[in-house]
Amino acid sequence: MTRKKEEQILNDAIPPDTKEGADSASEPTLLAREVTASPAENPLMGPRIYVGPNLPGGRLLQSTVFRGGVPAYLQPLLDEQPDIAALIVPVDELSEVQAKIVQTGTPEYVAYQAILKGGIANGI
C-alpha cells in the first residue's frame, strides 16, 4: 500500500465533525507529524510513547509511538487532560515508567488513575 493510500484511509477514518473546512486536500492528515515547537521549547519532542490507558473513541491508544514528537492535533486533548502528557514518555524510559504505573503513590500511578476516572466520567 502506498503512503498516499494510507493517508487517504486514515483521513477517511476521521469523523466529519472533527475535520476543518470542506476541502480535504488542504487539511493535515494523521500521518503529517506537525510539531509546533523545537525540542528545546517542547518537552514532548523526540521519540516518545504513550503508556496511559486507551481513550474512548480511539482518540489515543496505549503504546502509541510518536517518532517526531507529539503531533499538534493532540494539543487540545493534552490541554483537556494534562495527565495524558505525563504519560507520554521517552521510549528509552518505557520499562521504568511501566513499573511506576502499577506502584501505588507514584506520580505515574496517580496520572494513570486520573485518566481512567476522567475518561469514564468525561467521555474522553
Side-chain angles (χ1 to χ4, degrees):
M1 185 178 304
T2 66
R3 181 178 177 108
K4 187 173 183 175
K5 182 68 175 170
E6 288 174 351
E7 288 179 4
Q8 184 60 43
I9 290 170
L10 287 173
N11 240 359
D12 291 344
I14 300 172
D17 60 329
T18 61
K19 290 185 177 182
E20 294 179 18
D23 183 16
S24 64
S26 65
E27 70 183 46
T29 65
L30 292 176
L31 292 179
R33 304 294 177 155
E34 295 181 28
V35 180
T36 58
S38 69
E41 297 168 352
N42 185 352
L44 298 180
M45 292 285 292
R48 303 182 72 83
I49 186 166
Y50 172 65
V51 294
N54 291 340
L55 299 182
R59 290 180 74 187
L60 187 58
L61 301 178
Q62 187 175 56
S63 301
T64 299
V65 175
F66 305 104
R67 291 182 286 175
V70 178
Y73 70 84
L74 283 179
Q75 195 57 49
L77 180 62
L78 298 178
D79 292 341
E80 251 179 64
Q81 289 280 317
D83 291 318
I84 292 171
L87 295 178
I88 298 176
V89 299
V91 173
D92 59 350
E93 295 177 17
L94 176 61
S95 59
E96 178 183 321
V97 174
Q98 284 180 321
K100 290 179 180 180
I101 285 173
V102 296
Q103 188 176 10
T104 306
T106 63
E108 293 82 1
Y109 175 87
V110 172
Y112 193 97
Q113 296 303 315
I115 293 168
L116 280 178
K117 292 175 186 170
I120 293 168
N122 298 324
I124 295 178

